[in-house]
C-alpha cells in the first residue's frame, strides 16, 4: 500500500508542478529551488506509465526556460537514456524527453545531446506514429535555431538523414497523412532545412545527405505558400554550396548533384505557384546560381528552366505594375 500511496502523491505533485510551470515566469522560480531539477529527472528515470509521462511533461515545460539549461541538461540526458533503453515502450514519454533535450541543446554539452537524439530517433521514426514524427521534426527545428549547433547537427548521419527517413516512412503509409499533420510536418522540416542551409560550410554535406529531394517532395505535396517560400530559401542557399570559396569551379560538382537531386524541378514548380516578390526572387537567384555550372545548362533547359525564367519575368512585370 505504501508504494501505491507514494505513486499517488508523486502523481499529484507532478501534475500540480506541471500546471504551475505553465504560468508566465513560474518555471524560473521552480528551477531556482535547489535540487528540484535533479529530483524531476530522478522521478522520470525511475517511474513508469502515467506517472513517468506526467513528470516527463514537467521536464519539458521546465526545459523551455532560457538561461536555465545547465540545470536540466543532466536530467534530460538521463531521462532520455532511461526512456529509450531496451524494454521501454513508453513512446510518448520518450518523445517528450527528446523534445526536452532539444530545448537544452545550447549548453556546452550540445554534442552529447545531439548524439543522444540521433541514437534515440530510429525507433521513433519506425514507429510510424505521426505524433512521434512531429515531435522529432520540432526537436530538430529547435536545434537548428542555435547557430553553434548547426555543424554538429548536420554532421554525417545527422538531422538531414533523420528527416529523409521520416519523409520516406510517410510515403509508405497506407493511409495518407491528415492535412493538419502534413502541414505541420512540412513546416517544421522545411524550416529546419532552411535554418541548416544558413551554415555555409555544411551545404555540400546537406546536398549529399539528401536535403533537396526532401524539399522537392514537400513542394510537390502543395503545402501553404508560406511553407513553399521557406523551401525556396533553402533551395536557393543549397544552389550556392561553396560561398566562401573564391573559385566558382569549386561549386560545380555539387551544383551538378543539386540538379540531379531535383533542384531545378523544385524551382520550376515554385516559379509557377509563388506570387510574392521575396519568394520569386529566391527562385530567380537559385536558377541563376545553377546556370554558373556549364554542365548544368542543357539539363536545365530539358527541365524547363527557361520556361520558369519567362514565368518569373512575367510575374515581375505584374508586380512592377502593382507598385
Amino acid at each position: 500500500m505504501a508504494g501505491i500511496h507514494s505513486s499517488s502523491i508523486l502523481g499529484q505533485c507532478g501534475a500540480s508542478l506541471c500546471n504551475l510551470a505553465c504560468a508566465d515566469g513560474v518555471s524560473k522560480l521552480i528551477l531556482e529551488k535547489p535540487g528540484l531539477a535533479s529530483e524531476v529527472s530522478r522521478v522520470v528515470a525511475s517511474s513508469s506509465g502515467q506517472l513517468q509521462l506526467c513528470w516527463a511533461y514537467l521536464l519539458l515545460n521546465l526545459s523551455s526556460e532560457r538561461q536555465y539549461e545547465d540545470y536540466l541538461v543532466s536530467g534530460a540526458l538521463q531521462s532520455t537514456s532511461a526512456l529509450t533503453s531496451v524494454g521501454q515502450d513508453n513512446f510518448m514519454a520518450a518523445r517528450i524527453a527528446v523534445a526536452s533535450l532539444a530545448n537544452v541543446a545550447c549548453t556546452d554539452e550540445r554534442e552529447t545531446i545531439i548524439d543522444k537524439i540521433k541514437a534515440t530517433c530510429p525507433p521513433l521514426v519506425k514507429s510510424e506514429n505521426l505524433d512521434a514524427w512531429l515531435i522529432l521534426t520540432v526537436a530538430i527545428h529547435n536545434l537548428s535555431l542555435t547557430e553553434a549547433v548547426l555543424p554538429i547537427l548536420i554532421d554525417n548521419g545527422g538531422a538531414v538523414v533523420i528527416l529523409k527517413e521520416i519523409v520516406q516512412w510517410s510515403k509508405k503509409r497506407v493511409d495518407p497523412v491528415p492535412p493538419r499533420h502534413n502541414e505541420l510536418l512540412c513546416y517544421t522540416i522545411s524550416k529546419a532545412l532552411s535554418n541548416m542551409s544558413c551554415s555555409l560550410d555544411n551545404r555540400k554535406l546537406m546536398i549529399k545527405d539528401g536535403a533537396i529531394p526532401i524539399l522537392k517532395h514537400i513542394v510537390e505535396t502543395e503545402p501553404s505558400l508560406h511553407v513553399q517560400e521557406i523551401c525556396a530559401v533553402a533551395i536557393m542557399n543549397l544552389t550556392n554550396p561553396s560561398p566562401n570559396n573564391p573559385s566558382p569551379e569549386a561549386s560545380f560538382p555539387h551544383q551538378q548533384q543539386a540538379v540531379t537531386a531535383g533542384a531545378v524541378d523544385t524551382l520550376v514548380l515554385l516559379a509557377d505557384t509563388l506570387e510574392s516578390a521575396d519568394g520569386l526572387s529566391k527562385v530567380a537567384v537559385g536558377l541563376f546560381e545553377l546556370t554558373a555550372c556549364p554542365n548544368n545548362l542543357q539539363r536545365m533547359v530539358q527541365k524547363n528552366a527557361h520556361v520558369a525564367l519567362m514565368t518569373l519575368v512575367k510575374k515581375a512585370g505584374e508586380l512592377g505594375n502593382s507598385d
Side-chain angles (χ1 to χ4, degrees), residues 141 144-145 185-197 215 218 226-227 230-231 234:
H141 168 268
S144 74
L145 297 172
L185 280 170
C186 287
Y187 172 78
T188 51
I189 292 172
S190 61
K191 189 64 176 174
L193 290 172
S194 177
N195 291 342
M196 287 187 277
S197 72
L215 294 162
I218 290 173
H226 178 54
V227 170
I230 294 169
C231 291

Side-chain angles (χ1 to χ4, degrees), residues 225-226 228-233 235-236 239 266-289 305 307-320 322-323:
L225 288 176
H226 178 54
Q228 292 183 53
E229 290 192 353
I230 294 169
C231 291
V233 173
I235 290 282
M236 179 194 71
T239 60
T266 310
L267 292 168
V268 168
L269 287 171
L270 291 169
D272 274 338
T273 57
L274 294 181
E275 299 295 338
S276 73
D278 189 51
L280 293 170
S281 88
K282 300 294 189 297
V283 175
V285 170
L287 289 169
F288 169 72
E289 292 288 357
V307 177
L309 289 165
M310 293 313 298
T311 300
L312 292 171
V313 169
K314 179 184 177 182
K315 289 187 175 183
E318 292 170 350
L319 287 167
S322 65
D323 289 341

Side-chain angles (χ1 to χ4, degrees), residues 191-209:
K191 189 64 176 174
L193 290 172
S194 177
N195 291 342
M196 287 187 277
S197 72
C198 294
S199 179
L200 305 185
D201 295 330
N202 292 284
R203 290 177 180 175
K204 296 188 287 293
L205 187 54
M206 288 184 67
I207 295 171
K208 173 181 171 291
D209 282 347

Side-chain angles (χ1 to χ4, degrees), residues 151-298:
I152 310 167
L153 190 62
I154 301 167
D155 194 18
N156 275 319
V160 176
V161 173
I162 294 167
L163 295 176
K164 182 170 66 176
E165 288 178 355
I166 291 174
V167 169
Q168 289 171 342
W169 277 96
S170 70
K171 289 179 180 179
K172 295 176 184 178
R173 280 178 58 89
V174 176
D175 298 321
V177 178
R180 177 62 178 161
H181 267 87
N182 186 64
E183 183 68 16
L184 289 170
L185 280 170
C186 287
Y187 172 78
T188 51
I189 292 172
S190 61
K191 189 64 176 174
L193 290 172
S194 177
N195 291 342
M196 287 187 277
S197 72
C198 294
S199 179
L200 305 185
D201 295 330
N202 292 284
R203 290 177 180 175
K204 296 188 287 293
L205 187 54
M206 288 184 67
I207 295 171
K208 173 181 171 291
D209 282 347
I212 290 173
I214 298 172
L215 294 162
K216 179 174 180 286
H217 170 74
I218 290 173
V219 172
E220 287 173 341
T221 65
E222 300 181 358
S224 67
L225 288 176
H226 178 54
V227 170
Q228 292 183 53
E229 290 192 353
I230 294 169
C231 291
V233 173
I235 290 282
M236 179 194 71
N237 287 342
L238 293 173
T239 60
N240 184 15
S242 303
N244 289 333
N245 195 316
S247 171
E249 290 80 5
S251 290
F252 288 176
H254 306 288
Q255 288 174 324
Q256 289 178 255
Q257 192 176 355
V259 171
T260 300
V264 175
D265 308 89
T266 310
L267 292 168
V268 168
L269 287 171
L270 291 169
D272 274 338
T273 57
L274 294 181
E275 299 295 338
S276 73
D278 189 51
L280 293 170
S281 88
K282 300 294 189 297
V283 175
V285 170
L287 289 169
F288 169 72
E289 292 288 357
L290 292 175
T291 61
C293 174
N295 290 338
N296 278 346
L297 302 181
Q298 187 173 1

